[in-house]
Amino acid sequence: MLRNLCAFAGWKAIRLVLLLAAVSVISFMLIEWSPIDPVQAYIGADMLRVGPEQREAIAAYWGLDRPPAERFFKWAAALLQGDMGTSMIYRQPVSQVIAERFAASALLMAAAWLLSGLVGFAAGVIAAARRGRLIDRAVQWICYTLASTPPFWLGLLLLMTFAVWLGWFPVGLSVPAGVLADQVTLADRIRHMALPALTLSVAGIAPVALHTRQKLIDVLSSDYVLFAKARGEKGAGLLLRHGLRNIAIPAVTLQFASFSELFGGAVLAEQVFSYPGLGQATVEAGLRGDVPLLLGLVLCSAVFVFAGNTMADLIGRMIDPRIREGKVL
Amino acid sequence: MPLLEVNNLSVAFARYAGGFQRRMEQAIVGLDLSVEAGEIVAVIGSSGSGKSLLAHAVLGILPGHAQVTGTIQYDGEPLNERRIAALRGNEIVLVPQSVSFLDPLQRVGAQVRTTARGTDPTATVRSVFKRLRLAEAVGRLFPFQLSGGMARRVLVSTAAVSAARLIVADEPTPGMQAEDVNETLSMLREMADKGSGVLLITHDIEAALRVADKVAVFYAGTTVELAKAADFAGDGSNLRHPYSRALWQALPRNGFKPLPGTQPSQDELPSGCLFAPRCPFATEACSAERPAIREVRGGWTRCFHAS
Ligand code: SF4
């Protein structure tokens, strides 16, 4: 068991290092080929007032006059020593920008993740247990509608309804504008987070619910549920003992493996609500050619998604006796 | 009064065959059968003849889209959905066909205990496990950790620990070692001797004949003959239906004479006697109408020409 775990950890670590190396190289190449000129993006609106000499000075300051390969290796060498470089647009160390943004996004994503997981799972279970009834059809109908709704459109809809018309929630940002940081209350944060979190979780509910429903239907028509019935088990007890137990493993695994969709959704949701999180920073960094920040963000999101997948694996291993007590690694 | 009496039972499934064509597939056709308390009735016939569905029909666990007609009586009263729901697991138990009937995520001991009755269910399970040569530790295993033979014995134990009056055993012995087959059969015999009725569904005729009192011969979804086990003897001349005789003669000890042809597929059943296409004695009358079940020499058969 312990040896298995060590082998598992070692194997995962190697995979992670390879993944990060590949992701850095590919992202760097993509940025290099992109039509955005970082110097121009940096100067922005001051374009007309900046002469060619100043442009060169700026390029030299950020090291943009060096050949791409040299810049990449310089960046990589610094990264290995723990220095992620300095963001061009925020003029702060990349690690600091990411840390701040991550705190805001983590809250948002965690809320959305929990909400979509719980609501989706519950809806799926109810639909499957009442298969073919009205509630099942309603759940399915809602899910297909949600699944075919673009999240940003949904975000705009929520924004218009609840923030603009009803005025229940703020229109954007993660904290009230013009309030000192230490005076921001938790209630403020939650109020600002509510709509983006809702948008993000609604997008996640449909796949979870439909997957749970299908799995539970399969389980409920399995031989072992048939035999449990034949042994006199029925109703909620049967559902709990044999149904939920058997769909919990795939559900949990799927939920952890969904980190990549979560991150992708966050980029859109944060953009719509101008919520200053990782997603928004990614869009900014991409549009304005902030190479160090973009690379930092790409690496972080890769680690994030990888962590989700590893967790899915690990939890699957821990709760599934077929793996836990079997010989298979 | 028989403990279990099945009259004219038919089970059909709607099947979508290409495009939007819907056709009914007759899985069981006008089946008759009865089991008295204290006896083992073996249902024999080749695989794929709907024998498992008979077991599931008795326990009321057919899939929702199955269409069932005819009657099943238990203890003299119709066994409707309500009644079977209350009886299964208590008075009526099933020995299912394969390890896939065990919940993969529940320890087998816990699953066996759900049907265990008596003052000390755990002790009952322990003694049954011992008889079936299952180590006590087996109770703490998950189904995937059982060998094929072990899984069979665990399945049999679910019935043996119960206090059921009717045991429906669906192919309980294949894949078992000879010793375990004997132990399983003698356990069923013991339960019958204590007053329970046993419906033993199997394609192993030899094993069935060792313990059964009566035999129902199953062909293409119906019982073509109900005979005493003792009628299966000698050259089979005591048997009433040509198919029973063919089955008997196909056994290794009777010279291994196979019956040519195959069972008709369930969605293309002949309109007359289901056995007519393979019957050496078939006449024109046989293809015109289905023979009804009738009493012949103390048994029952579905053949116009039996005497
Ligand atoms: S009814 Fe006719 S075809 Fe059918 S078994 Fe008897 S003899 Fe054969």
Side-chain angles (χ1 to χ4, degrees), chain A residues 273-289:
Chain A
F273 291 94
S274 355
Y275 188 90
L278 275 184
Q280 204 205 26
T282 311
V283 174
E284 288 286 296
L287 289 180
R288 296 175 57 185

Side-chain angles (χ1 to χ4, degrees), chain B residues 82-100:
Chain B
R82 189 94 163 279
R83 192 150 171 256
I84 184 63
L87 291 176
R88 61 189 168 211
N90 298 313
E91 282 195 32
I92 304 180
V93 295
L94 171 73
V95 177
Q97 217 184 36
S98 81
V99 68
S100 69

Side-chain angles (χ1 to χ4, degrees), chain B:
Chain B
M1 180 182 61
L3 185 62
L4 177 75
E5 196 175 358
V6 178
N7 278 319
N8 200 18
L9 177 75
S10 293
V11 177
F13 296 96
R15 243 214 359 207
Y16 292 86
F20 291 97
Q21 242 186 354
R22 217 181 86 154
R23 52 149 56 129
M24 296 305 285
E25 192 177 292
Q26 283 287 334
I28 294 183
V29 193
L31 179 144
D32 299 277
L33 184 93
S34 70
V35 181
E36 302 277 344
E39 72 176 9
I40 297 183
V41 176
V43 177
I44 61 172
S46 56
S47 37
S49 50
K51 296 188 310 271
S52 280
L53 289 174
L54 167 62
H56 292 189
V58 171
L59 278 128
I61 51 172
L62 285 172
H65 60 289
Q67 292 182 12
V68 185
T69 55
T71 58
I72 302 178
Q73 304 231 18
Y74 173 77
D75 228 358
E77 276 175 61
L79 198 53
N80 54 23
E81 212 173 300
R82 189 94 163 279
R83 192 150 171 256
I84 184 63
L87 291 176
R88 61 189 168 211
N90 298 313
E91 282 195 32
I92 304 180
V93 295
L94 171 73
V95 177
Q97 217 184 36
S98 81
V99 68
S100 69
F101 284 82
L102 291 173
D103 185 334
L105 296 184
Q106 202 181 18
R107 292 179 198 279
V108 299
Q111 303 192 54
V112 174
R113 261 194 305 280
T114 48
T115 45
R117 296 291 179 274
T119 43
D120 187 356
T122 319
T124 316
V125 173
R126 202 176 301 139
S127 74
V128 168
F129 267 32
K130 201 163 175 190
R131 268 200 67 183
L132 287 168
R133 299 187 303 114
L134 288 164
E136 222 170 295
V138 169
R140 289 188 294 278
L141 295 181
F142 288 96
F144 79 96
Q145 293 167 308
L146 304 177
S147 71
M150 251 152 93
R152 291 274 177 199
R153 282 176 277 154
V154 167
L155 292 174
V156 169
S157 74
T158 58
V161 298
S162 74
R165 290 176 61 205
L166 177 67
I167 294 115
V168 181
D170 187 9
E171 301 278 9
T173 54
M176 276 185 177
Q177 293 168 7
E179 248 177 295
D180 297 328
V181 173
N182 288 336
E183 193 56 48
T184 300
L185 292 177
S186 68
M187 232 159 162
L188 291 175
R189 185 68 255 173
E190 234 170 75
M191 287 188 264
D193 290 342
K194 278 191 209 147
S196 302
V198 178
L199 190 64
L200 171 61
I201 297 170
T202 180
H203 65 257
D204 185 350
I205 302 172
E206 309 230 70
L209 290 177
R210 266 187 277 157
V211 290
D213 302 288
K214 283 196 277 179
V215 176
V217 180
F218 208 87
Y219 184 80
T222 195
T223 38
V224 292
E225 171 159 2
L226 300 172
K228 288 192 216 48
D231 292 341
F232 286 82
D235 60 354
S237 57
N238 284 343
L239 294 169
R240 297 152 191 86
H241 196 278
Y243 179 64
S244 317
R245 249 172 267 143
L247 269 185
W248 176 241
Q249 276 155 9
L251 289 183
R253 62 167 146 161
N254 296 328
F256 235 144
K257 293 184 277 294
L259 174 71
T262 49
Q263 268 191 42
S265 112
Q266 293 301 130
D267 48 6
E268 281 164 9
L269 291 178
S271 53
C273 170
L274 298 178
F275 190 59
R278 298 169 79 187
C279 182
F281 312 106
T283 59
E284 227 162 87
C286 300
S287 323
E289 207 186 333
R290 282 208 185 136
I293 195 142
R294 63 192 177 96
E295 201 165 354
V296 176
R297 284 184 276 120
W300 294 80
T301 188
R302 260 178 211 284
C303 174
F304 291 123
H305 303 294
S307 56

Side-chain angles (χ1 to χ4, degrees), chain A residues 101-119:
Chain A
R101 294 302 181 114
F102 185 75
S105 277
L107 215 59
L108 176 68
M109 287 195 280
W113 185 75
L114 268 181
L115 210 65
S116 66
L118 294 179
V119 173

